[in-house]
Amino acid sequence: MTGSPATDTTSPQPGSFGQRVRRLARMALRAEIGIWKSLYRWIFRRPRVPVGASGFAYHSPVLTILVIFIVLSAIEIPIVDLIVHDWPWVRIPLLAAGIWGVTWMIGLLLGFLTRPHAVGPEGIRARSGAELDIDLPWESVTSVEKSRDVREKAPKIRDEPHGRTLALRMQDETNVLVILERPVAVRLGDTADEVDAVRLWVDDLDGFMTAVRTHIP
């Protein structure tokens, strides 16, 4: 494990109840749009990998648990439908909700599959499903190194020795550290920020580092 104790400097500011509701509604809408875009990209075989770049998966730490949830939810639909079969006013809403839930979880998984990290001539694209897509051009990158870091319940942005660091964790873990020459703007939901480094998880760590070395020896 790497890294030193750090403090969270990104605590949300208090707001009115109405502001919080609107913020949650915007987050839910963005998530819903991202799910359907992921389904579209998978159906039409259009992963988001820039021309000339190589894609690198990062979903292996969560694949098993997502597949289990999808399978259990799919099994639950006919069981619930059988139980409430004689009450159409209950059956139809539950059937619709069940199908939507399974579709949503499939879209969540496909968000990881259709939006891999990418390494190419222009730089690194660091992704987290449909939620985040961060452009890290080579001119902004100081170094890319293997760096395993495990943090439970840690904020996405935290202060570390090399500056403000965004961590795109999978199951609380990252294995790559990208240190930047100058801050890069990121947007988390409705909040804009600048970071000096990005941590991420890559399934094929050696392949990722080999691709990086072709651009920054």
Side-chain angles (χ1 to χ4, degrees), residues 56-83:
F56 293 91
Y58 52 89
H59 61 273
S60 65
V62 298
L63 178 61
T64 300
I65 190 168
L66 283 177
V67 170
I68 290 173
F69 271 113
I70 291 169
V71 172
L72 291 178
S73 297
I75 293 173
E76 184 182 60
I77 292 174
I79 294 175
V80 172
D81 186 63
L82 181 64
I83 293 172

PDB file of all heavy atoms in Angstrom, residues 56-83:
ATOM      1  N   PHE A  56      -7.844  -0.241 -22.452  1.00  0.00           N
ATOM      2  CA  PHE A  56      -7.436  -1.110 -21.343  1.00  0.00           C
ATOM      3  C   PHE A  56      -8.583  -1.218 -20.339  1.00  0.00           C
ATOM      4  O   PHE A  56      -9.032  -0.225 -19.775  1.00  0.00           O
ATOM      5  CB  PHE A  56      -6.177  -0.564 -20.660  1.00  0.00           C
ATOM      6  CG  PHE A  56      -4.958  -0.622 -21.532  1.00  0.00           C
ATOM      7  CD1 PHE A  56      -4.630   0.454 -22.346  1.00  0.00           C
ATOM      8  CD2 PHE A  56      -4.169  -1.759 -21.562  1.00  0.00           C
ATOM      9  CE1 PHE A  56      -3.535   0.401 -23.179  1.00  0.00           C
ATOM     10  CE2 PHE A  56      -3.059  -1.819 -22.399  1.00  0.00           C
ATOM     11  CZ  PHE A  56      -2.741  -0.735 -23.198  1.00  0.00           C
ATOM     12  N   ALA A  57      -9.010  -2.464 -20.125  1.00  0.00           N
ATOM     13  CA  ALA A  57     -10.143  -2.724 -19.237  1.00  0.00           C
ATOM     14  C   ALA A  57      -9.762  -2.489 -17.775  1.00  0.00           C
ATOM     15  O   ALA A  57      -8.590  -2.574 -17.399  1.00  0.00           O
ATOM     16  CB  ALA A  57     -10.633  -4.159 -19.434  1.00  0.00           C
ATOM     17  N   TYR A  58     -10.780  -2.250 -16.964  1.00  0.00           N
ATOM     18  CA  TYR A  58     -10.561  -2.028 -15.530  1.00  0.00           C
ATOM     19  C   TYR A  58     -11.714  -2.585 -14.691  1.00  0.00           C
ATOM     20  O   TYR A  58     -11.832  -2.281 -13.507  1.00  0.00           O
ATOM     21  CB  TYR A  58     -10.401  -0.526 -15.246  1.00  0.00           C
ATOM     22  CG  TYR A  58     -11.521   0.335 -15.801  1.00  0.00           C
ATOM     23  CD1 TYR A  58     -12.655   0.603 -15.054  1.00  0.00           C
ATOM     24  CD2 TYR A  58     -11.439   0.867 -17.081  1.00  0.00           C
ATOM     25  CE1 TYR A  58     -13.689   1.392 -15.570  1.00  0.00           C
ATOM     26  CE2 TYR A  58     -12.463   1.640 -17.607  1.00  0.00           C
ATOM     27  CZ  TYR A  58     -13.575   1.905 -16.848  1.00  0.00           C
ATOM     28  OH  TYR A  58     -14.596   2.677 -17.357  1.00  0.00           O
ATOM     29  N   HIS A  59     -12.540  -3.426 -15.308  1.00  0.00           N
ATOM     30  CA  HIS A  59     -13.759  -3.873 -14.642  1.00  0.00           C
ATOM     31  C   HIS A  59     -13.617  -5.177 -13.870  1.00  0.00           C
ATOM     32  O   HIS A  59     -14.557  -5.590 -13.191  1.00  0.00           O
ATOM     33  CB  HIS A  59     -14.878  -4.039 -15.677  1.00  0.00           C
ATOM     34  CG  HIS A  59     -14.569  -5.063 -16.723  1.00  0.00           C
ATOM     35  ND1 HIS A  59     -13.878  -4.746 -17.873  1.00  0.00           N
ATOM     36  CD2 HIS A  59     -14.832  -6.392 -16.797  1.00  0.00           C
ATOM     37  CE1 HIS A  59     -13.743  -5.837 -18.611  1.00  0.00           C
ATOM     38  NE2 HIS A  59     -14.316  -6.857 -17.980  1.00  0.00           N
ATOM     39  N   SER A  60     -12.488  -5.873 -13.945  1.00  0.00           N
ATOM     40  CA  SER A  60     -12.388  -7.204 -13.349  1.00  0.00           C
ATOM     41  C   SER A  60     -12.691  -7.231 -11.844  1.00  0.00           C
ATOM     42  O   SER A  60     -13.310  -8.189 -11.375  1.00  0.00           O
ATOM     43  CB  SER A  60     -11.012  -7.821 -13.627  1.00  0.00           C
ATOM     44  OG  SER A  60      -9.987  -7.089 -13.008  1.00  0.00           O
ATOM     45  N   PRO A  61     -12.320  -6.201 -11.050  1.00  0.00           N
ATOM     46  CA  PRO A  61     -12.628  -6.282  -9.619  1.00  0.00           C
ATOM     47  C   PRO A  61     -14.119  -6.281  -9.301  1.00  0.00           C
ATOM     48  O   PRO A  61     -14.524  -6.753  -8.229  1.00  0.00           O
ATOM     49  CB  PRO A  61     -11.937  -5.029  -9.041  1.00  0.00           C
ATOM     50  CG  PRO A  61     -10.862  -4.699 -10.006  1.00  0.00           C
ATOM     51  CD  PRO A  61     -11.437  -5.034 -11.343  1.00  0.00           C
ATOM     52  N   VAL A  62     -14.951  -5.752 -10.200  1.00  0.00           N
ATOM     53  CA  VAL A  62     -16.384  -5.671  -9.912  1.00  0.00           C
ATOM     54  C   VAL A  62     -17.214  -6.582 -10.810  1.00  0.00           C
ATOM     55  O   VAL A  62     -18.441  -6.629 -10.674  1.00  0.00           O
ATOM     56  CB  VAL A  62     -16.889  -4.216 -10.057  1.00  0.00           C
ATOM     57  CG1 VAL A  62     -16.197  -3.313  -9.060  1.00  0.00           C
ATOM     58  CG2 VAL A  62     -16.709  -3.698 -11.478  1.00  0.00           C
ATOM     59  N   LEU A  63     -16.568  -7.298 -11.734  1.00  0.00           N
ATOM     60  CA  LEU A  63     -17.312  -8.091 -12.700  1.00  0.00           C
ATOM     61  C   LEU A  63     -18.166  -9.166 -12.028  1.00  0.00           C
ATOM     62  O   LEU A  63     -19.357  -9.311 -12.326  1.00  0.00           O
ATOM     63  CB  LEU A  63     -16.341  -8.739 -13.694  1.00  0.00           C
ATOM     64  CG  LEU A  63     -16.982  -9.649 -14.751  1.00  0.00           C
ATOM     65  CD1 LEU A  63     -17.954  -8.862 -15.614  1.00  0.00           C
ATOM     66  CD2 LEU A  63     -15.903 -10.312 -15.610  1.00  0.00           C
ATOM     67  N   THR A  64     -17.581  -9.911 -11.115  1.00  0.00           N
ATOM     68  CA  THR A  64     -18.301 -11.017 -10.490  1.00  0.00           C
ATOM     69  C   THR A  64     -19.531 -10.539  -9.737  1.00  0.00           C
ATOM     70  O   THR A  64     -20.633 -11.090  -9.898  1.00  0.00           O
ATOM     71  CB  THR A  64     -17.380 -11.795  -9.528  1.00  0.00           C
ATOM     72  OG1 THR A  64     -16.265 -12.320 -10.259  1.00  0.00           O
ATOM     73  CG2 THR A  64     -18.132 -12.946  -8.875  1.00  0.00           C
ATOM     74  N   ILE A  65     -19.370  -9.504  -8.933  1.00  0.00           N
ATOM     75  CA  ILE A  65     -20.499  -9.037  -8.136  1.00  0.00           C
ATOM     76  C   ILE A  65     -21.606  -8.452  -9.017  1.00  0.00           C
ATOM     77  O   ILE A  65     -22.794  -8.651  -8.750  1.00  0.00           O
ATOM     78  CB  ILE A  65     -20.035  -8.013  -7.071  1.00  0.00           C
ATOM     79  CG1 ILE A  65     -21.187  -7.728  -6.094  1.00  0.00           C
ATOM     80  CG2 ILE A  65     -19.539  -6.718  -7.709  1.00  0.00           C
ATOM     81  CD1 ILE A  65     -20.741  -6.960  -4.867  1.00  0.00           C
ATOM     82  N   LEU A  66     -21.238  -7.765 -10.101  1.00  0.00           N
ATOM     83  CA  LEU A  66     -22.260  -7.221 -11.003  1.00  0.00           C
ATOM     84  C   LEU A  66     -23.012  -8.338 -11.721  1.00  0.00           C
ATOM     85  O   LEU A  66     -24.239  -8.279 -11.857  1.00  0.00           O
ATOM     86  CB  LEU A  66     -21.609  -6.283 -12.021  1.00  0.00           C
ATOM     87  CG  LEU A  66     -21.229  -4.890 -11.512  1.00  0.00           C
ATOM     88  CD1 LEU A  66     -20.524  -4.105 -12.610  1.00  0.00           C
ATOM     89  CD2 LEU A  66     -22.447  -4.130 -11.036  1.00  0.00           C
ATOM     90  N   VAL A  67     -22.301  -9.365 -12.163  1.00  0.00           N
ATOM     91  CA  VAL A  67     -22.951 -10.488 -12.840  1.00  0.00           C
ATOM     92  C   VAL A  67     -23.904 -11.201 -11.877  1.00  0.00           C
ATOM     93  O   VAL A  67     -25.025 -11.586 -12.248  1.00  0.00           O
ATOM     94  CB  VAL A  67     -21.901 -11.471 -13.401  1.00  0.00           C
ATOM     95  CG1 VAL A  67     -22.571 -12.760 -13.879  1.00  0.00           C
ATOM     96  CG2 VAL A  67     -21.131 -10.823 -14.545  1.00  0.00           C
ATOM     97  N   ILE A  68     -23.478 -11.371 -10.630  1.00  0.00           N
ATOM     98  CA  ILE A  68     -24.348 -12.016  -9.637  1.00  0.00           C
ATOM     99  C   ILE A  68     -25.624 -11.212  -9.433  1.00  0.00           C
ATOM    100  O   ILE A  68     -26.735 -11.769  -9.411  1.00  0.00           O
ATOM    101  CB  ILE A  68     -23.593 -12.191  -8.298  1.00  0.00           C
ATOM    102  CG1 ILE A  68     -22.508 -13.256  -8.446  1.00  0.00           C
ATOM    103  CG2 ILE A  68     -24.567 -12.571  -7.181  1.00  0.00           C
ATOM    104  CD1 ILE A  68     -21.607 -13.384  -7.236  1.00  0.00           C
ATOM    105  N   PHE A  69     -25.494  -9.894  -9.290  1.00  0.00           N
ATOM    106  CA  PHE A  69     -26.670  -9.048  -9.113  1.00  0.00           C
ATOM    107  C   PHE A  69     -27.595  -9.116 -10.328  1.00  0.00           C
ATOM    108  O   PHE A  69     -28.816  -9.162 -10.190  1.00  0.00           O
ATOM    109  CB  PHE A  69     -26.252  -7.600  -8.854  1.00  0.00           C
ATOM    110  CG  PHE A  69     -26.031  -7.291  -7.408  1.00  0.00           C
ATOM    111  CD1 PHE A  69     -24.761  -6.990  -6.934  1.00  0.00           C
ATOM    112  CD2 PHE A  69     -27.082  -7.286  -6.506  1.00  0.00           C
ATOM    113  CE1 PHE A  69     -24.549  -6.703  -5.590  1.00  0.00           C
ATOM    114  CE2 PHE A  69     -26.886  -6.993  -5.173  1.00  0.00           C
ATOM    115  CZ  PHE A  69     -25.619  -6.710  -4.705  1.00  0.00           C
ATOM    116  N   ILE A  70     -27.017  -9.123 -11.511  1.00  0.00           N
ATOM    117  CA  ILE A  70     -27.825  -9.179 -12.735  1.00  0.00           C
ATOM    118  C   ILE A  70     -28.597 -10.495 -12.808  1.00  0.00           C
ATOM    119  O   ILE A  70     -29.799 -10.519 -13.096  1.00  0.00           O
ATOM    120  CB  ILE A  70     -26.936  -8.987 -13.975  1.00  0.00           C
ATOM    121  CG1 ILE A  70     -26.414  -7.545 -14.042  1.00  0.00           C
ATOM    122  CG2 ILE A  70     -27.714  -9.321 -15.256  1.00  0.00           C
ATOM    123  CD1 ILE A  70     -25.330  -7.336 -15.077  1.00  0.00           C
ATOM    124  N   VAL A  71     -27.914 -11.594 -12.534  1.00  0.00           N
ATOM    125  CA  VAL A  71     -28.558 -12.911 -12.605  1.00  0.00           C
ATOM    126  C   VAL A  71     -29.655 -13.033 -11.564  1.00  0.00           C
ATOM    127  O   VAL A  71     -30.776 -13.486 -11.856  1.00  0.00           O
ATOM    128  CB  VAL A  71     -27.512 -14.031 -12.430  1.00  0.00           C
ATOM    129  CG1 VAL A  71     -28.196 -15.384 -12.294  1.00  0.00           C
ATOM    130  CG2 VAL A  71     -26.547 -14.054 -13.613  1.00  0.00           C
ATOM    131  N   LEU A  72     -29.375 -12.637 -10.325  1.00  0.00           N
ATOM    132  CA  LEU A  72     -30.382 -12.730  -9.261  1.00  0.00           C
ATOM    133  C   LEU A  72     -31.591 -11.857  -9.572  1.00  0.00           C
ATOM    134  O   LEU A  72     -32.737 -12.254  -9.321  1.00  0.00           O
ATOM    135  CB  LEU A  72     -29.767 -12.337  -7.922  1.00  0.00           C
ATOM    136  CG  LEU A  72     -28.728 -13.309  -7.343  1.00  0.00           C
ATOM    137  CD1 LEU A  72     -28.169 -12.776  -6.037  1.00  0.00           C
ATOM    138  CD2 LEU A  72     -29.339 -14.698  -7.125  1.00  0.00           C
ATOM    139  N   SER A  73     -31.345 -10.672 -10.092  1.00  0.00           N
ATOM    140  CA  SER A  73     -32.452  -9.776 -10.431  1.00  0.00           C
ATOM    141  C   SER A  73     -33.294 -10.342 -11.566  1.00  0.00           C
ATOM    142  O   SER A  73     -34.520 -10.211 -11.567  1.00  0.00           O
ATOM    143  CB  SER A  73     -31.913  -8.392 -10.815  1.00  0.00           C
ATOM    144  OG  SER A  73     -31.237  -7.800  -9.724  1.00  0.00           O
ATOM    145  N   ALA A  74     -32.637 -10.962 -12.540  1.00  0.00           N
ATOM    146  CA  ALA A  74     -33.366 -11.566 -13.660  1.00  0.00           C
ATOM    147  C   ALA A  74     -34.220 -12.738 -13.178  1.00  0.00           C
ATOM    148  O   ALA A  74     -35.356 -12.927 -13.625  1.00  0.00           O
ATOM    149  CB  ALA A  74     -32.388 -12.022 -14.736  1.00  0.00           C
ATOM    150  N   ILE A  75     -33.699 -13.545 -12.253  1.00  0.00           N
ATOM    151  CA  ILE A  75     -34.461 -14.667 -11.697  1.00  0.00           C
ATOM    152  C   ILE A  75     -35.649 -14.166 -10.879  1.00  0.00           C
ATOM    153  O   ILE A  75     -36.721 -14.779 -10.866  1.00  0.00           O
ATOM    154  CB  ILE A  75     -33.539 -15.547 -10.828  1.00  0.00           C
ATOM    155  CG1 ILE A  75     -32.483 -16.235 -11.710  1.00  0.00           C
ATOM    156  CG2 ILE A  75     -34.350 -16.584 -10.055  1.00  0.00           C
ATOM    157  CD1 ILE A  75     -31.432 -16.989 -10.922  1.00  0.00           C
ATOM    158  N   GLU A  76     -35.441 -13.030 -10.210  1.00  0.00           N
ATOM    159  CA  GLU A  76     -36.491 -12.484  -9.340  1.00  0.00           C
ATOM    160  C   GLU A  76     -37.727 -12.040 -10.127  1.00  0.00           C
ATOM    161  O   GLU A  76     -38.849 -12.107  -9.624  1.00  0.00           O
ATOM    162  CB  GLU A  76     -35.914 -11.298  -8.565  1.00  0.00           C
ATOM    163  CG  GLU A  76     -36.845 -10.687  -7.556  1.00  0.00           C
ATOM    164  CD  GLU A  76     -36.217  -9.498  -6.870  1.00  0.00           C
ATOM    165  OE1 GLU A  76     -35.876  -8.529  -7.587  1.00  0.00           O
ATOM    166  OE2 GLU A  76     -36.039  -9.531  -5.652  1.00  0.00           O
ATOM    167  N   ILE A  77     -37.551 -11.605 -11.380  1.00  0.00           N
ATOM    168  CA  ILE A  77     -38.681 -11.077 -12.162  1.00  0.00           C
ATOM    169  C   ILE A  77     -39.792 -12.106 -12.338  1.00  0.00           C
ATOM    170  O   ILE A  77     -40.954 -11.842 -11.998  1.00  0.00           O
ATOM    171  CB  ILE A  77     -38.184 -10.543 -13.522  1.00  0.00           C
ATOM    172  CG1 ILE A  77     -37.320  -9.306 -13.315  1.00  0.00           C
ATOM    173  CG2 ILE A  77     -39.382 -10.196 -14.418  1.00  0.00           C
ATOM    174  CD1 ILE A  77     -36.671  -8.787 -14.599  1.00  0.00           C
ATOM    175  N   PRO A  78     -39.526 -13.310 -12.868  1.00  0.00           N
ATOM    176  CA  PRO A  78     -40.624 -14.272 -13.028  1.00  0.00           C
ATOM    177  C   PRO A  78     -41.194 -14.758 -11.702  1.00  0.00           C
ATOM    178  O   PRO A  78     -42.384 -15.091 -11.622  1.00  0.00           O
ATOM    179  CB  PRO A  78     -39.982 -15.420 -13.820  1.00  0.00           C
ATOM    180  CG  PRO A  78     -38.520 -15.282 -13.593  1.00  0.00           C
ATOM    181  CD  PRO A  78     -38.269 -13.822 -13.439  1.00  0.00           C
ATOM    182  N   ILE A  79     -40.364 -14.807 -10.659  1.00  0.00           N
ATOM    183  CA  ILE A  79     -40.864 -15.243  -9.352  1.00  0.00           C
ATOM    184  C   ILE A  79     -41.885 -14.250  -8.815  1.00  0.00           C
ATOM    185  O   ILE A  79     -42.991 -14.621  -8.386  1.00  0.00           O
ATOM    186  CB  ILE A  79     -39.694 -15.419  -8.363  1.00  0.00           C
ATOM    187  CG1 ILE A  79     -38.792 -16.570  -8.807  1.00  0.00           C
ATOM    188  CG2 ILE A  79     -40.226 -15.666  -6.949  1.00  0.00           C
ATOM    189  CD1 ILE A  79     -37.544 -16.740  -7.961  1.00  0.00           C
ATOM    190  N   VAL A  80     -41.538 -12.963  -8.852  1.00  0.00           N
ATOM    191  CA  VAL A  80     -42.465 -11.927  -8.378  1.00  0.00           C
ATOM    192  C   VAL A  80     -43.706 -11.889  -9.260  1.00  0.00           C
ATOM    193  O   VAL A  80     -44.832 -11.747  -8.773  1.00  0.00           O
ATOM    194  CB  VAL A  80     -41.761 -10.554  -8.355  1.00  0.00           C
ATOM    195  CG1 VAL A  80     -42.767  -9.437  -8.063  1.00  0.00           C
ATOM    196  CG2 VAL A  80     -40.641 -10.546  -7.320  1.00  0.00           C
ATOM    197  N   ASP A  81     -43.503 -12.048 -10.568  1.00  0.00           N
ATOM    198  CA  ASP A  81     -44.637 -12.034 -11.492  1.00  0.00           C
ATOM    199  C   ASP A  81     -45.614 -13.170 -11.183  1.00  0.00           C
ATOM    200  O   ASP A  81     -46.839 -13.003 -11.261  1.00  0.00           O
ATOM    201  CB  ASP A  81     -44.128 -12.146 -12.925  1.00  0.00           C
ATOM    202  CG  ASP A  81     -45.243 -11.981 -13.942  1.00  0.00           C
ATOM    203  OD1 ASP A  81     -45.845 -10.901 -14.000  1.00  0.00           O
ATOM    204  OD2 ASP A  81     -45.509 -12.956 -14.683  1.00  0.00           O
ATOM    205  N   LEU A  82     -45.091 -14.332 -10.824  1.00  0.00           N
ATOM    206  CA  LEU A  82     -45.945 -15.470 -10.472  1.00  0.00           C
ATOM    207  C   LEU A  82     -46.732 -15.197  -9.193  1.00  0.00           C
ATOM    208  O   LEU A  82     -47.915 -15.530  -9.096  1.00  0.00           O
ATOM    209  CB  LEU A  82     -45.076 -16.723 -10.310  1.00  0.00           C
ATOM    210  CG  LEU A  82     -45.817 -18.025  -9.969  1.00  0.00           C
ATOM    211  CD1 LEU A  82     -46.756 -18.410 -11.111  1.00  0.00           C
ATOM    212  CD2 LEU A  82     -44.819 -19.149  -9.692  1.00  0.00           C
ATOM    213  N   ILE A  83     -46.081 -14.552  -8.231  1.00  0.00           N
ATOM    214  CA  ILE A  83     -46.728 -14.285  -6.944  1.00  0.00           C
ATOM    215  C   ILE A  83     -47.883 -13.303  -7.102  1.00  0.00           C
ATOM    216  O   ILE A  83     -48.956 -13.457  -6.491  1.00  0.00           O
ATOM    217  CB  ILE A  83     -45.692 -13.758  -5.928  1.00  0.00           C
ATOM    218  CG1 ILE A  83     -44.678 -14.856  -5.588  1.00  0.00           C
ATOM    219  CG2 ILE A  83     -46.383 -13.248  -4.663  1.00  0.00           C
ATOM    220  CD1 ILE A  83     -43.507 -14.381  -4.756  1.00  0.00           C
TER     221      ILE A  83
END
